Amino acid sequence: MLALDSGCRRGELTGLTWNDIDFKKSTIDINKVTQYVTGYGIFEKTTKSDTSNRIVYITPTTLQILKKYKSEQDKQKLLLGNKWQNSNRVFTTDYGGDMHPDTPSKILEKLIKKYNLKRITFHGLRHTSISLQITSGIQSQIISKRAGHSSVSVTHNIYSHFFDNGFKEVADKMDSFLNVKSV
């Protein structure tokens, strides 16, 4: 739900800590990612670019899910005691360690199979999020900043097929303004 709501990249999602979530403002602070390198393991690094660092407002529904998830994670922490690995990440292994960045994709695959859904990649959730924003009429500058794109032109280049529909709508509206019938 958080991936779809926020449009986060997979590594941004697995890099989130509880300190990055502001429950009062309903925001998440995207400021780091996790990555896996064979032979080295999971490590934290900076985001893709300066524009990838961003504050994203999330829906009340997603916020409630996160609150419930945090409560369940806190119970797990108490149950495991000193076996809990204390990563402070939002998404962890069962023992509180850093989640492998491929794990969200594997979880999504299991859900797709379990409920016989149309296949979508985890990154497809990001595309779906951004596409929904475009078709809802949200300004492209806002969408671009929220997605962490380096410029609005990046957003336009990737999602141009959605913007084309909007351009056709503008022409239709302009026609109604300019097509004044003679009296």
Side-chain angles (χ1 to χ4, degrees), residues 107-120:
I107 292 169
L108 180 62
E109 278 295 322
K110 286 180 183 178
L111 290 171
I112 289 169
K113 285 180 185 175
K114 181 178 180 177
Y115 295 103
N116 197 28
L117 302 172
K118 182 180 175 192
R119 189 178 184 293
I120 184 173

Side-chain angles (χ1 to χ4, degrees), residues 20-154:
D20 297 324
I21 298 176
D22 188 326
F23 287 101
K24 290 181 182 162
K25 293 182 182 176
S26 297
T27 61
I28 58 173
D29 184 0
I30 309 298
N31 56 46
K32 61 191 157 306
V33 299
T34 58
Q35 187 173 3
Y36 176 82
V37 173
T38 306
Y40 182 76
I42 300 167
F43 67 97
E44 181 180 295
K45 66 177 204 164
T46 58
T47 56
K48 189 175 177 182
S49 65
D50 287 341
T51 56
S52 292
N53 287 341
R54 62 203 186 277
I55 303 291
V56 176
Y57 285 84
I58 56 175
T59 66
T61 302
T62 301
L63 194 66
Q64 286 303 328
I65 291 169
L66 281 172
K67 284 179 183 177
K68 184 177 179 187
Y69 181 75
K70 174 138 181 48
S71 175
E72 290 171 12
Q73 193 181 67
D74 289 343
K75 287 177 190 173
Q76 181 75 358
K77 208 183 280 190
L78 283 173
L79 183 69
L80 291 174
N82 63 1
K83 292 180 182 175
W84 184 259
Q85 295 175 9
N86 278 331
S87 74
N88 195 37
R89 299 260 185 234
V90 174
F91 302 104
T92 65
T93 64
D94 291 339
Y95 287 90
D98 287 348
M99 179 183 277
H100 192 290
D102 287 344
T103 301
S105 296
K106 291 176 182 176
I107 292 169
L108 180 62
E109 278 295 322
K110 286 180 183 178
L111 290 171
I112 289 169
K113 285 180 185 175
K114 181 178 180 177
Y115 295 103
N116 197 28
L117 302 172
K118 182 180 175 192
R119 189 178 184 293
I120 184 173
T121 64
F122 196 85
H123 196 73
L125 296 174
R126 176 175 167 79
H127 287 293
T128 300
S129 176
I130 294 168
S131 300
L132 288 170
Q133 293 170 56
I134 292 167
T135 57
S136 295
I138 297 170
Q139 292 177 19
S140 56
Q141 295 88 341
I142 293 170
I143 295 168
S144 182
K145 283 186 184 271
R146 190 172 198 268
H149 288 154
S150 58
S151 68
V152 175
S153 64
V154 170

Side-chain angles (χ1 to χ4, degrees), residues 152-170:
V152 175
S153 64
V154 170
T155 309
H156 281 242
N157 289 341
I158 297 170
Y159 300 94
S160 61
H161 55 291
F162 286 100
F163 287 108
D164 287 346
N165 291 339
F167 292 133
K168 169 75 171 95
E169 186 179 322
V170 169

Side-chain angles (χ1 to χ4, degrees), residues 172-183:
D172 292 343
K173 286 184 180 183
M174 289 304 294
D175 187 51
S176 69
F177 294 138
L178 300 174
N179 193 1
V180 180
K181 300 193 187 226
S182 356
V183 181

